Amino acid sequence: MLAVAEINYIRHEVNIKDGNYSEIAKRMGRDPRTVKKYADQEDFNLEIRPKQTRPSPVMDSVKPIIDEWLLEDFKLKKKFRRTAKRMWEQLKEDFAFKGSDRTVRDYVSNRKKELLNESSQAALPLENRPGAAQVDFGEAPFKYQGEQIVLPYLVLSYPYSNAFYFQVFPSQNRECFLEGLKRIFHHMGGVPKTIRFDNLSAAVKKVLPNGERQLTEGFQNFVLHYGFECEFCNPNSGNEKGHVEAMVKYVRNNFLLPSLHVLDLDELNKMLWKKAEKDRERKHYEKESLISKLFEDDRKACLVLPTKEYQCIRYETLKADKYGYVKLDKNLYSTSPRFALSKVLIRISYNKIDILIDNHELVVSHSRLYGQYRKSMKWQPYLNLMAKRPMALKYTSFYEQLPPEWQTYFHSCTTSEKSEALKLLGTLLKDYDFNRITEALNIASEHGHPSVESIKQVFYQIINGRGIREELHIQKPLPSMPIATRGLQHYDQLLKGAE
């Protein structure tokens, strides 16, 4: 390519002065054909030549393999990904690759950039790409113990495939929200690359003026643990996650109406996995493919699960009242008399409230209460105190909760026996339930009113495998034994033998 000044000179000398090609070429030190080309050229539009792709017999056969490895590795943390050198070694070991490591490194470097560019485009909002999900809560009526109640359910949907999962919970609080997401991730065996949320309080602490979100500490740690990218709708813009909102209605109408009878939420939720997966055996409303088949693309695009599950718990320090109760969400939980008017550490999950001491040793565990102004009482930590006032036993709810055998036993006890029995229960109920303890009472009572010490001995015989021994079944009859007689005649016979 000649310089612009040279081209202008050629065109001026030839076209304006009618100069000779050879003479001009001689003056410029150029080939006459070059002079003629630029003198006669009419089109000077910028020409962009396509990049030539030369066939590469050695690399072409392994490029799909490397692409698959790169896509697999993008689901992992960077420290767990293969290097280009390791890929080259694998190609040599597994596919008898003959190319150089430099060739593989160049291809991996360029292909990574291309794939990362595609990945960034795939994460654009509202693009129905595999591996992107949306989340929202819905509500439905249920029947529990003869009453009509309303419970929330968490839905995670995949707009690309139109697949979904859902789980029912007692509340929309932070612990239920995170527990639901965690269950879905571990059930399907992967984590969506991006998840779009509403500005629900379990995740968003504050919406900032510049459009960013201040996340709750628990949700922020959850996001970091599972590695997905979270997106949030603009305030009052639920249409930005329209797919999951439509799926919330679909789930309610097709699976939760009319009202289901609920005895155990965990058992119900196990059944709901199957219902959601069975629903995929129908065609997508637009793509004319089975949802189950499209969902495999969603699954392949998901991130790999971390090695450990996230513990969906939080801790609070609360002050107990004079009876040893702490208040959480307007409900009361018993601790221990020794914590009266003191601060205690509480570990909170979606279904449990654990009372801990400073070194995180468990004092007592409660099922979490939902609703308001309810009370959960665990009597075991209070029994040593009750043993000092045994006559008050009959006026406590603990007495009403006792198995009938123990109520009968306490009715026959003296004051001192009641005290000793309460101390024994206070010790045993730390690690055992009433079934084994009542079994020990029944065995010890076979010959009348037992002492507390005998109940204790029988109990430890039972748990150590030395409770009721099996009867011996003798197959052969024992030989008849001579009748034993008393008297000195036996000695007379012995002396006669000595003589």
PDB file of all heavy atoms in Angstrom, residues 122-135 156-163 191-196 229 231 243 295 297-299 301-303:
ATOM      1  N   ALA A 122     -25.282 -13.329  28.454  1.00  0.00           N
ATOM      2  CA  ALA A 122     -26.336 -14.216  28.957  1.00  0.00           C
ATOM      3  C   ALA A 122     -26.921 -13.718  30.260  1.00  0.00           C
ATOM      4  O   ALA A 122     -28.019 -14.068  30.620  1.00  0.00           O
ATOM      5  CB  ALA A 122     -25.783 -15.620  29.153  1.00  0.00           C
ATOM      6  N   ALA A 123     -26.206 -12.882  30.991  1.00  0.00           N
ATOM      7  CA  ALA A 123     -26.682 -12.421  32.288  1.00  0.00           C
ATOM      8  C   ALA A 123     -27.502 -11.142  32.197  1.00  0.00           C
ATOM      9  O   ALA A 123     -27.871 -10.579  33.204  1.00  0.00           O
ATOM     10  CB  ALA A 123     -25.488 -12.188  33.219  1.00  0.00           C
ATOM     11  N   LEU A 124     -27.766 -10.670  30.982  1.00  0.00           N
ATOM     12  CA  LEU A 124     -28.566  -9.457  30.856  1.00  0.00           C
ATOM     13  C   LEU A 124     -29.963  -9.695  31.403  1.00  0.00           C
ATOM     14  O   LEU A 124     -30.541 -10.762  31.206  1.00  0.00           O
ATOM     15  CB  LEU A 124     -28.660  -9.039  29.377  1.00  0.00           C
ATOM     16  CG  LEU A 124     -27.365  -8.515  28.766  1.00  0.00           C
ATOM     17  CD1 LEU A 124     -27.557  -8.292  27.275  1.00  0.00           C
ATOM     18  CD2 LEU A 124     -26.926  -7.219  29.429  1.00  0.00           C
ATOM     19  N   PRO A 125     -30.563  -8.719  32.118  1.00  0.00           N
ATOM     20  CA  PRO A 125     -31.888  -8.903  32.705  1.00  0.00           C
ATOM     21  C   PRO A 125     -32.942  -9.246  31.654  1.00  0.00           C
ATOM     22  O   PRO A 125     -32.899  -8.742  30.522  1.00  0.00           O
ATOM     23  CB  PRO A 125     -32.175  -7.540  33.355  1.00  0.00           C
ATOM     24  CG  PRO A 125     -30.836  -6.923  33.551  1.00  0.00           C
ATOM     25  CD  PRO A 125     -29.991  -7.414  32.431  1.00  0.00           C
ATOM     26  N   LEU A 126     -33.860 -10.125  32.072  1.00  0.00           N
ATOM     27  CA  LEU A 126     -35.024 -10.496  31.283  1.00  0.00           C
ATOM     28  C   LEU A 126     -34.686 -11.304  30.041  1.00  0.00           C
ATOM     29  O   LEU A 126     -35.551 -11.544  29.212  1.00  0.00           O
ATOM     30  CB  LEU A 126     -35.833  -9.244  30.885  1.00  0.00           C
ATOM     31  CG  LEU A 126     -36.284  -8.362  32.046  1.00  0.00           C
ATOM     32  CD1 LEU A 126     -37.119  -7.199  31.531  1.00  0.00           C
ATOM     33  CD2 LEU A 126     -37.053  -9.142  33.092  1.00  0.00           C
ATOM     34  N   GLU A 127     -33.421 -11.705  29.871  1.00  0.00           N
ATOM     35  CA  GLU A 127     -33.054 -12.599  28.798  1.00  0.00           C
ATOM     36  C   GLU A 127     -33.306 -14.022  29.289  1.00  0.00           C
ATOM     37  O   GLU A 127     -32.769 -14.432  30.320  1.00  0.00           O
ATOM     38  CB  GLU A 127     -31.577 -12.420  28.427  1.00  0.00           C
ATOM     39  CG  GLU A 127     -31.270 -11.107  27.722  1.00  0.00           C
ATOM     40  CD  GLU A 127     -31.660 -11.126  26.265  1.00  0.00           C
ATOM     41  OE1 GLU A 127     -31.807 -12.229  25.714  1.00  0.00           O
ATOM     42  OE2 GLU A 127     -31.843 -10.050  25.678  1.00  0.00           O
ATOM     43  N   ASN A 128     -34.122 -14.760  28.572  1.00  0.00           N
ATOM     44  CA  ASN A 128     -34.442 -16.118  28.986  1.00  0.00           C
ATOM     45  C   ASN A 128     -33.326 -17.057  28.563  1.00  0.00           C
ATOM     46  O   ASN A 128     -33.405 -17.756  27.562  1.00  0.00           O
ATOM     47  CB  ASN A 128     -35.773 -16.569  28.396  1.00  0.00           C
ATOM     48  CG  ASN A 128     -36.929 -15.806  28.992  1.00  0.00           C
ATOM     49  OD1 ASN A 128     -36.794 -15.194  30.048  1.00  0.00           O
ATOM     50  ND2 ASN A 128     -38.069 -15.833  28.331  1.00  0.00           N
ATOM     51  N   ARG A 129     -32.251 -17.043  29.346  1.00  0.00           N
ATOM     52  CA  ARG A 129     -31.085 -17.858  29.065  1.00  0.00           C
ATOM     53  C   ARG A 129     -31.026 -19.012  30.068  1.00  0.00           C
ATOM     54  O   ARG A 129     -31.463 -18.882  31.207  1.00  0.00           O
ATOM     55  CB  ARG A 129     -29.808 -17.035  29.183  1.00  0.00           C
ATOM     56  CG  ARG A 129     -29.776 -15.808  28.285  1.00  0.00           C
ATOM     57  CD  ARG A 129     -29.450 -16.182  26.861  1.00  0.00           C
ATOM     58  NE  ARG A 129     -29.309 -14.991  26.016  1.00  0.00           N
ATOM     59  CZ  ARG A 129     -28.765 -15.011  24.808  1.00  0.00           C
ATOM     60  NH1 ARG A 129     -28.331 -16.156  24.308  1.00  0.00           N
ATOM     61  NH2 ARG A 129     -28.673 -13.910  24.094  1.00  0.00           N
ATOM     62  N   PRO A 130     -30.460 -20.153  29.677  1.00  0.00           N
ATOM     63  CA  PRO A 130     -30.328 -21.263  30.622  1.00  0.00           C
ATOM     64  C   PRO A 130     -29.537 -20.859  31.860  1.00  0.00           C
ATOM     65  O   PRO A 130     -28.555 -20.122  31.766  1.00  0.00           O
ATOM     66  CB  PRO A 130     -29.577 -22.329  29.805  1.00  0.00           C
ATOM     67  CG  PRO A 130     -29.874 -22.006  28.384  1.00  0.00           C
ATOM     68  CD  PRO A 130     -29.990 -20.510  28.325  1.00  0.00           C
ATOM     69  N   GLY A 131     -29.961 -21.350  33.000  1.00  0.00           N
ATOM     70  CA  GLY A 131     -29.254 -21.093  34.243  1.00  0.00           C
ATOM     71  C   GLY A 131     -29.680 -19.848  34.982  1.00  0.00           C
ATOM     72  O   GLY A 131     -29.146 -19.561  36.044  1.00  0.00           O
ATOM     73  N   ALA A 132     -30.638 -19.083  34.445  1.00  0.00           N
ATOM     74  CA  ALA A 132     -31.152 -17.892  35.131  1.00  0.00           C
ATOM     75  C   ALA A 132     -32.489 -18.239  35.783  1.00  0.00           C
ATOM     76  O   ALA A 132     -33.301 -18.958  35.203  1.00  0.00           O
ATOM     77  CB  ALA A 132     -31.323 -16.743  34.157  1.00  0.00           C
ATOM     78  N   ALA A 133     -32.707 -17.730  36.990  1.00  0.00           N
ATOM     79  CA  ALA A 133     -33.913 -18.080  37.748  1.00  0.00           C
ATOM     80  C   ALA A 133     -34.539 -16.846  38.371  1.00  0.00           C
ATOM     81  O   ALA A 133     -33.923 -15.777  38.422  1.00  0.00           O
ATOM     82  CB  ALA A 133     -33.579 -19.102  38.831  1.00  0.00           C
ATOM     83  N   GLN A 134     -35.784 -16.998  38.833  1.00  0.00           N
ATOM     84  CA  GLN A 134     -36.508 -15.947  39.544  1.00  0.00           C
ATOM     85  C   GLN A 134     -37.145 -16.562  40.791  1.00  0.00           C
ATOM     86  O   GLN A 134     -37.486 -17.749  40.791  1.00  0.00           O
ATOM     87  CB  GLN A 134     -37.591 -15.325  38.651  1.00  0.00           C
ATOM     88  CG  GLN A 134     -37.040 -14.653  37.404  1.00  0.00           C
ATOM     89  CD  GLN A 134     -38.148 -14.062  36.525  1.00  0.00           C
ATOM     90  OE1 GLN A 134     -39.331 -14.073  36.882  1.00  0.00           O
ATOM     91  NE2 GLN A 134     -37.770 -13.535  35.371  1.00  0.00           N
ATOM     92  N   VAL A 135     -37.306 -15.754  41.836  1.00  0.00           N
ATOM     93  CA  VAL A 135     -37.807 -16.259  43.124  1.00  0.00           C
ATOM     94  C   VAL A 135     -38.885 -15.337  43.673  1.00  0.00           C
ATOM     95  O   VAL A 135     -38.765 -14.109  43.570  1.00  0.00           O
ATOM     96  CB  VAL A 135     -36.652 -16.379  44.147  1.00  0.00           C
ATOM     97  CG1 VAL A 135     -37.192 -16.620  45.557  1.00  0.00           C
ATOM     98  CG2 VAL A 135     -35.708 -17.502  43.769  1.00  0.00           C
ATOM     99  N   LEU A 156     -39.150 -21.091  43.050  1.00  0.00           N
ATOM    100  CA  LEU A 156     -38.007 -20.732  42.214  1.00  0.00           C
ATOM    101  C   LEU A 156     -38.296 -21.249  40.814  1.00  0.00           C
ATOM    102  O   LEU A 156     -38.518 -22.456  40.631  1.00  0.00           O
ATOM    103  CB  LEU A 156     -36.709 -21.327  42.762  1.00  0.00           C
ATOM    104  CG  LEU A 156     -35.427 -20.930  42.006  1.00  0.00           C
ATOM    105  CD1 LEU A 156     -34.266 -20.736  42.975  1.00  0.00           C
ATOM    106  CD2 LEU A 156     -35.041 -21.962  40.962  1.00  0.00           C
ATOM    107  N   SER A 157     -38.334 -20.348  39.827  1.00  0.00           N
ATOM    108  CA  SER A 157     -38.701 -20.728  38.468  1.00  0.00           C
ATOM    109  C   SER A 157     -37.569 -20.428  37.495  1.00  0.00           C
ATOM    110  O   SER A 157     -36.735 -19.550  37.733  1.00  0.00           O
ATOM    111  CB  SER A 157     -39.974 -20.005  38.029  1.00  0.00           C
ATOM    112  OG  SER A 157     -39.715 -18.621  37.837  1.00  0.00           O
ATOM    113  N   TYR A 158     -37.556 -21.167  36.389  1.00  0.00           N
ATOM    114  CA  TYR A 158     -36.561 -20.995  35.329  1.00  0.00           C
ATOM    115  C   TYR A 158     -37.283 -20.531  34.060  1.00  0.00           C
ATOM    116  O   TYR A 158     -37.937 -21.335  33.393  1.00  0.00           O
ATOM    117  CB  TYR A 158     -35.838 -22.310  35.071  1.00  0.00           C
ATOM    118  CG  TYR A 158     -34.988 -22.765  36.218  1.00  0.00           C
ATOM    119  CD1 TYR A 158     -35.521 -23.542  37.237  1.00  0.00           C
ATOM    120  CD2 TYR A 158     -33.648 -22.417  36.297  1.00  0.00           C
ATOM    121  CE1 TYR A 158     -34.737 -23.963  38.308  1.00  0.00           C
ATOM    122  CE2 TYR A 158     -32.857 -22.824  37.364  1.00  0.00           C
ATOM    123  CZ  TYR A 158     -33.410 -23.600  38.358  1.00  0.00           C
ATOM    124  OH  TYR A 158     -32.644 -24.009  39.414  1.00  0.00           O
ATOM    125  N   PRO A 159     -37.176 -19.249  33.709  1.00  0.00           N
ATOM    126  CA  PRO A 159     -37.897 -18.741  32.530  1.00  0.00           C
ATOM    127  C   PRO A 159     -37.516 -19.439  31.231  1.00  0.00           C
ATOM    128  O   PRO A 159     -38.352 -19.565  30.334  1.00  0.00           O
ATOM    129  CB  PRO A 159     -37.502 -17.257  32.500  1.00  0.00           C
ATOM    130  CG  PRO A 159     -37.143 -16.923  33.910  1.00  0.00           C
ATOM    131  CD  PRO A 159     -36.520 -18.160  34.462  1.00  0.00           C
ATOM    132  N   TYR A 160     -36.278 -19.892  31.092  1.00  0.00           N
ATOM    133  CA  TYR A 160     -35.860 -20.522  29.831  1.00  0.00           C
ATOM    134  C   TYR A 160     -36.645 -21.800  29.575  1.00  0.00           C
ATOM    135  O   TYR A 160     -37.174 -22.012  28.481  1.00  0.00           O
ATOM    136  CB  TYR A 160     -34.361 -20.828  29.872  1.00  0.00           C
ATOM    137  CG  TYR A 160     -33.886 -21.672  28.717  1.00  0.00           C
ATOM    138  CD1 TYR A 160     -33.635 -21.098  27.470  1.00  0.00           C
ATOM    139  CD2 TYR A 160     -33.702 -23.053  28.856  1.00  0.00           C
ATOM    140  CE1 TYR A 160     -33.211 -21.876  26.403  1.00  0.00           C
ATOM    141  CE2 TYR A 160     -33.281 -23.825  27.797  1.00  0.00           C
ATOM    142  CZ  TYR A 160     -33.034 -23.247  26.568  1.00  0.00           C
ATOM    143  OH  TYR A 160     -32.625 -24.016  25.512  1.00  0.00           O
ATOM    144  N   SER A 161     -36.747 -22.664  30.599  1.00  0.00           N
ATOM    145  CA  SER A 161     -37.390 -23.960  30.397  1.00  0.00           C
ATOM    146  C   SER A 161     -38.839 -23.998  30.866  1.00  0.00           C
ATOM    147  O   SER A 161     -39.571 -24.920  30.533  1.00  0.00           O
ATOM    148  CB  SER A 161     -36.607 -25.044  31.148  1.00  0.00           C
ATOM    149  OG  SER A 161     -36.632 -24.796  32.547  1.00  0.00           O
ATOM    150  N   ASN A 162     -39.236 -23.009  31.679  1.00  0.00           N
ATOM    151  CA  ASN A 162     -40.564 -22.968  32.294  1.00  0.00           C
ATOM    152  C   ASN A 162     -40.709 -24.003  33.413  1.00  0.00           C
ATOM    153  O   ASN A 162     -41.806 -24.352  33.827  1.00  0.00           O
ATOM    154  CB  ASN A 162     -41.689 -23.174  31.273  1.00  0.00           C
ATOM    155  CG  ASN A 162     -42.971 -22.473  31.687  1.00  0.00           C
ATOM    156  OD1 ASN A 162     -42.942 -21.377  32.237  1.00  0.00           O
ATOM    157  ND2 ASN A 162     -44.113 -23.093  31.418  1.00  0.00           N
ATOM    158  N   ALA A 163     -39.576 -24.489  33.929  1.00  0.00           N
ATOM    159  CA  ALA A 163     -39.593 -25.423  35.068  1.00  0.00           C
ATOM    160  C   ALA A 163     -39.598 -24.635  36.376  1.00  0.00           C
ATOM    161  O   ALA A 163     -39.319 -23.438  36.396  1.00  0.00           O
ATOM    162  CB  ALA A 163     -38.383 -26.347  35.009  1.00  0.00           C
ATOM    163  N   VAL A 191     -26.556 -24.615  41.320  1.00  0.00           N
ATOM    164  CA  VAL A 191     -26.971 -23.268  41.729  1.00  0.00           C
ATOM    165  C   VAL A 191     -27.178 -22.417  40.482  1.00  0.00           C
ATOM    166  O   VAL A 191     -26.282 -22.350  39.625  1.00  0.00           O
ATOM    167  CB  VAL A 191     -25.889 -22.608  42.615  1.00  0.00           C
ATOM    168  CG1 VAL A 191     -26.329 -21.219  43.056  1.00  0.00           C
ATOM    169  CG2 VAL A 191     -25.575 -23.486  43.822  1.00  0.00           C
ATOM    170  N   PRO A 192     -28.337 -21.770  40.324  1.00  0.00           N
ATOM    171  CA  PRO A 192     -28.529 -20.889  39.170  1.00  0.00           C
ATOM    172  C   PRO A 192     -27.445 -19.812  39.094  1.00  0.00           C
ATOM    173  O   PRO A 192     -26.990 -19.321  40.122  1.00  0.00           O
ATOM    174  CB  PRO A 192     -29.914 -20.265  39.429  1.00  0.00           C
ATOM    175  CG  PRO A 192     -30.601 -21.225  40.330  1.00  0.00           C
ATOM    176  CD  PRO A 192     -29.527 -21.826  41.193  1.00  0.00           C
ATOM    177  N   LYS A 193     -27.050 -19.456  37.865  1.00  0.00           N
ATOM    178  CA  LYS A 193     -26.019 -18.426  37.716  1.00  0.00           C
ATOM    179  C   LYS A 193     -26.509 -17.082  38.235  1.00  0.00           C
ATOM    180  O   LYS A 193     -25.793 -16.361  38.909  1.00  0.00           O
ATOM    181  CB  LYS A 193     -25.628 -18.282  36.235  1.00  0.00           C
ATOM    182  CG  LYS A 193     -24.729 -19.370  35.717  1.00  0.00           C
ATOM    183  CD  LYS A 193     -24.346 -19.066  34.279  1.00  0.00           C
ATOM    184  CE  LYS A 193     -23.397 -20.112  33.733  1.00  0.00           C
ATOM    185  NZ  LYS A 193     -23.049 -19.834  32.324  1.00  0.00           N
ATOM    186  N   THR A 194     -27.720 -16.731  37.876  1.00  0.00           N
ATOM    187  CA  THR A 194     -28.306 -15.473  38.327  1.00  0.00           C
ATOM    188  C   THR A 194     -29.710 -15.741  38.850  1.00  0.00           C
ATOM    189  O   THR A 194     -30.421 -16.605  38.327  1.00  0.00           O
ATOM    190  CB  THR A 194     -28.385 -14.426  37.194  1.00  0.00           C
ATOM    191  OG1 THR A 194     -29.206 -14.947  36.136  1.00  0.00           O
ATOM    192  CG2 THR A 194     -27.009 -14.110  36.647  1.00  0.00           C
ATOM    193  N   ILE A 195     -30.102 -15.005  39.876  1.00  0.00           N
ATOM    194  CA  ILE A 195     -31.449 -15.127  40.434  1.00  0.00           C
ATOM    195  C   ILE A 195     -32.008 -13.721  40.616  1.00  0.00           C
ATOM    196  O   ILE A 195     -31.355 -12.855  41.199  1.00  0.00           O
ATOM    197  CB  ILE A 195     -31.447 -15.867  41.783  1.00  0.00           C
ATOM    198  CG1 ILE A 195     -30.737 -17.210  41.671  1.00  0.00           C
ATOM    199  CG2 ILE A 195     -32.880 -16.074  42.270  1.00  0.00           C
ATOM    200  CD1 ILE A 195     -30.667 -17.990  42.971  1.00  0.00           C
ATOM    201  N   ARG A 196     -33.218 -13.526  40.122  1.00  0.00           N
ATOM    202  CA  ARG A 196     -33.881 -12.223  40.243  1.00  0.00           C
ATOM    203  C   ARG A 196     -34.877 -12.284  41.395  1.00  0.00           C
ATOM    204  O   ARG A 196     -35.690 -13.205  41.494  1.00  0.00           O
ATOM    205  CB  ARG A 196     -34.592 -11.880  38.933  1.00  0.00           C
ATOM    206  CG  ARG A 196     -35.351 -10.567  38.962  1.00  0.00           C
ATOM    207  CD  ARG A 196     -35.765 -10.159  37.563  1.00  0.00           C
ATOM    208  NE  ARG A 196     -34.618  -9.637  36.857  1.00  0.00           N
ATOM    209  CZ  ARG A 196     -34.292  -8.345  36.816  1.00  0.00           C
ATOM    210  NH1 ARG A 196     -35.030  -7.455  37.457  1.00  0.00           N
ATOM    211  NH2 ARG A 196     -33.239  -7.942  36.149  1.00  0.00           N
ATOM    212  N   GLU A 229     -25.191 -14.731  41.176  1.00  0.00           N
ATOM    213  CA  GLU A 229     -25.358 -13.284  41.041  1.00  0.00           C
ATOM    214  C   GLU A 229     -26.820 -12.937  41.306  1.00  0.00           C
ATOM    215  O   GLU A 229     -27.715 -13.565  40.731  1.00  0.00           O
ATOM    216  CB  GLU A 229     -24.962 -12.831  39.636  1.00  0.00           C
ATOM    217  CG  GLU A 229     -25.067 -11.335  39.419  1.00  0.00           C
ATOM    218  CD  GLU A 229     -24.699 -10.905  38.002  1.00  0.00           C
ATOM    219  OE1 GLU A 229     -24.155 -11.750  37.268  1.00  0.00           O
ATOM    220  OE2 GLU A 229     -24.965  -9.748  37.643  1.00  0.00           O
ATOM    221  N   GLU A 231     -30.022 -10.281  41.276  1.00  0.00           N
ATOM    222  CA  GLU A 231     -30.581  -9.094  40.642  1.00  0.00           C
ATOM    223  C   GLU A 231     -31.876  -8.748  41.359  1.00  0.00           C
ATOM    224  O   GLU A 231     -32.575  -9.636  41.854  1.00  0.00           O
ATOM    225  CB  GLU A 231     -30.853  -9.348  39.159  1.00  0.00           C
ATOM    226  CG  GLU A 231     -29.614  -9.742  38.364  1.00  0.00           C
ATOM    227  CD  GLU A 231     -29.964 -10.184  36.950  1.00  0.00           C
ATOM    228  OE1 GLU A 231     -31.166 -10.418  36.688  1.00  0.00           O
ATOM    229  OE2 GLU A 231     -29.044 -10.293  36.126  1.00  0.00           O
ATOM    230  N   HIS A 243     -42.224 -13.922  35.208  1.00  0.00           N
ATOM    231  CA  HIS A 243     -42.319 -15.374  35.049  1.00  0.00           C
ATOM    232  C   HIS A 243     -42.643 -16.055  36.363  1.00  0.00           C
ATOM    233  O   HIS A 243     -43.541 -16.894  36.449  1.00  0.00           O
ATOM    234  CB  HIS A 243     -41.012 -15.931  34.481  1.00  0.00           C
ATOM    235  CG  HIS A 243     -41.095 -17.398  34.177  1.00  0.00           C
ATOM    236  ND1 HIS A 243     -40.766 -18.373  35.099  1.00  0.00           N
ATOM    237  CD2 HIS A 243     -41.509 -18.055  33.062  1.00  0.00           C
ATOM    238  CE1 HIS A 243     -40.959 -19.561  34.561  1.00  0.00           C
ATOM    239  NE2 HIS A 243     -41.404 -19.406  33.326  1.00  0.00           N
ATOM    240  N   PHE A 295     -35.179 -28.236  30.630  1.00  0.00           N
ATOM    241  CA  PHE A 295     -34.630 -28.039  31.964  1.00  0.00           C
ATOM    242  C   PHE A 295     -33.212 -28.596  32.078  1.00  0.00           C
ATOM    243  O   PHE A 295     -32.422 -28.125  32.890  1.00  0.00           O
ATOM    244  CB  PHE A 295     -35.538 -28.685  33.010  1.00  0.00           C
ATOM    245  CG  PHE A 295     -35.043 -28.525  34.425  1.00  0.00           C
ATOM    246  CD1 PHE A 295     -34.981 -27.270  35.009  1.00  0.00           C
ATOM    247  CD2 PHE A 295     -34.618 -29.625  35.165  1.00  0.00           C
ATOM    248  CE1 PHE A 295     -34.517 -27.106  36.309  1.00  0.00           C
ATOM    249  CE2 PHE A 295     -34.156 -29.475  36.464  1.00  0.00           C
ATOM    250  CZ  PHE A 295     -34.105 -28.213  37.032  1.00  0.00           C
ATOM    251  N   ASP A 297     -30.936 -28.130  29.959  1.00  0.00           N
ATOM    252  CA  ASP A 297     -30.063 -27.006  29.594  1.00  0.00           C
ATOM    253  C   ASP A 297     -29.884 -26.067  30.789  1.00  0.00           C
ATOM    254  O   ASP A 297     -28.797 -25.545  31.024  1.00  0.00           O
ATOM    255  CB  ASP A 297     -30.657 -26.233  28.409  1.00  0.00           C
ATOM    256  CG  ASP A 297     -30.709 -27.067  27.148  1.00  0.00           C
ATOM    257  OD1 ASP A 297     -29.871 -27.979  27.025  1.00  0.00           O
ATOM    258  OD2 ASP A 297     -31.579 -26.822  26.285  1.00  0.00           O
ATOM    259  N   ASP A 298     -30.982 -25.842  31.526  1.00  0.00           N
ATOM    260  CA  ASP A 298     -30.871 -25.033  32.754  1.00  0.00           C
ATOM    261  C   ASP A 298     -29.908 -25.685  33.745  1.00  0.00           C
ATOM    262  O   ASP A 298     -29.056 -25.017  34.333  1.00  0.00           O
ATOM    263  CB  ASP A 298     -32.250 -24.883  33.411  1.00  0.00           C
ATOM    264  CG  ASP A 298     -33.040 -23.708  32.848  1.00  0.00           C
ATOM    265  OD1 ASP A 298     -32.439 -22.651  32.632  1.00  0.00           O
ATOM    266  OD2 ASP A 298     -34.244 -23.864  32.636  1.00  0.00           O
ATOM    267  N   ARG A 299     -30.056 -26.979  33.907  1.00  0.00           N
ATOM    268  CA  ARG A 299     -29.231 -27.694  34.877  1.00  0.00           C
ATOM    269  C   ARG A 299     -27.751 -27.647  34.487  1.00  0.00           C
ATOM    270  O   ARG A 299     -26.871 -27.435  35.327  1.00  0.00           O
ATOM    271  CB  ARG A 299     -29.696 -29.149  34.980  1.00  0.00           C
ATOM    272  CG  ARG A 299     -29.107 -29.893  36.166  1.00  0.00           C
ATOM    273  CD  ARG A 299     -29.379 -31.391  36.042  1.00  0.00           C
ATOM    274  NE  ARG A 299     -30.795 -31.686  36.125  1.00  0.00           N
ATOM    275  CZ  ARG A 299     -31.444 -31.890  37.277  1.00  0.00           C
ATOM    276  NH1 ARG A 299     -30.797 -31.783  38.415  1.00  0.00           N
ATOM    277  NH2 ARG A 299     -32.724 -32.178  37.268  1.00  0.00           N
ATOM    278  N   ALA A 301     -26.256 -25.383  32.808  1.00  0.00           N
ATOM    279  CA  ALA A 301     -25.724 -24.019  32.924  1.00  0.00           C
ATOM    280  C   ALA A 301     -25.551 -23.578  34.372  1.00  0.00           C
ATOM    281  O   ALA A 301     -24.990 -22.517  34.622  1.00  0.00           O
ATOM    282  CB  ALA A 301     -26.650 -23.043  32.194  1.00  0.00           C
ATOM    283  N   CYS A 302     -26.033 -24.376  35.314  1.00  0.00           N
ATOM    284  CA  CYS A 302     -25.945 -23.990  36.726  1.00  0.00           C
ATOM    285  C   CYS A 302     -24.529 -24.148  37.269  1.00  0.00           C
ATOM    286  O   CYS A 302     -23.710 -24.897  36.732  1.00  0.00           O
ATOM    287  CB  CYS A 302     -26.915 -24.831  37.567  1.00  0.00           C
ATOM    288  SG  CYS A 302     -28.635 -24.321  37.394  1.00  0.00           S
ATOM    289  N   LEU A 303     -24.261 -23.433  38.345  1.00  0.00           N
ATOM    290  CA  LEU A 303     -22.978 -23.514  39.020  1.00  0.00           C
ATOM    291  C   LEU A 303     -22.909 -24.775  39.873  1.00  0.00           C
ATOM    292  O   LEU A 303     -23.939 -25.322  40.287  1.00  0.00           O
ATOM    293  CB  LEU A 303     -22.778 -22.291  39.916  1.00  0.00           C
ATOM    294  CG  LEU A 303     -22.899 -20.925  39.237  1.00  0.00           C
ATOM    295  CD1 LEU A 303     -22.865 -19.823  40.292  1.00  0.00           C
ATOM    296  CD2 LEU A 303     -21.793 -20.724  38.225  1.00  0.00           C
TER     297      LEU A 303
END
